[in-house]
Amino acid sequence: MNQPIQWNVSFHIGIKVIDDQHQHMVGIINGLYQTLETTVGDIDMKDFFNDAVGYGEYHFQTEEAFFSRYDYPEREQHLAAHHAYKQTLDMLLAEGGDAHEQAEKLLDFLEKWWVGHITGMDQSLNQLVK
């Protein structure tokens, strides 16, 4: 990632609580970006992994409540994507290694996954509340 993620209208899905949570996750990702840009020494990756896992789980629970409430037709595919996200984070954490290299891998994954998920699969969520 060459620059922080710029929040823009293409990220909006039209459900305030989910949009707010997406924006918060973008802030977490941009925080990791800033840390990588400004830290020469060791980076404590524990907090970044905890945020990626913990806030991701919190957000997924919010989305999954909408799935149930509105009988979301893409529920199984969406749940599979959430599960794959968690598995990838577990794999990245288990790899260990140099903190900067680990931070770069985590940043690359988070940026691609969240931007792709928000602008792709999550866009269908707005149909649930219309």
Side-chain angles (χ1 to χ4, degrees):
M1 182 160 108
N2 296 326
Q3 61 186 355
I5 299 170
Q6 300 299 313
W7 185 262
N8 65 71
V9 70
S10 71
F11 293 167
H12 289 270
I13 64 161
I15 301 173
K16 183 173 178 9
V17 66
I18 293 176
D19 285 334
D20 290 348
Q21 289 176 3
H22 285 162
Q23 199 162 9
H24 184 83
M25 183 54 81
V26 166
I28 290 170
I29 296 166
N30 286 343
L32 177 56
Y33 169 82
Q34 291 298 330
T35 298
L36 259 172
E37 288 291 304
T38 60
T39 304
V40 177
D42 256 356
I43 298 173
D44 183 1
M45 291 302 298
K46 183 179 77 175
D47 289 340
F48 290 110
F49 274 105
N50 286 341
D51 285 346
V53 171
Y55 199 80
E57 183 64 34
Y58 168 71
H59 170 68
F60 296 158
Q61 288 173 358
T62 300
E63 284 189 350
E64 291 165 15
F66 276 89
F67 299 171
S68 297
R69 186 177 315 144
Y70 293 100
D71 195 29
Y72 181 50
E74 297 172 29
R75 181 180 191 277
E76 293 307 314
Q77 300 94 318
H78 215 122
L79 290 174
H82 291 173
H83 181 70
Y85 170 84
K86 294 176 220 174
Q87 284 185 312
T88 301
L89 286 178
D90 288 344
M91 182 192 69
L92 288 172
L93 182 59
E95 284 180 5
D98 173 75
H100 276 270
E101 187 176 304
Q102 194 178 31
E104 288 173 4
K105 286 180 182 179
L106 178 62
L107 180 61
D108 185 57
F109 169 70
L110 292 175
E111 176 194 24
K112 288 176 182 170
W113 196 92
W114 282 99
V115 169
H117 193 71
I118 292 168
T119 61
M121 186 172 273
D122 278 355
Q123 290 301 309
S124 65
L125 293 174
N126 70 2
Q127 298 303 312
L128 296 178
V129 297
K130 290 186 176 190

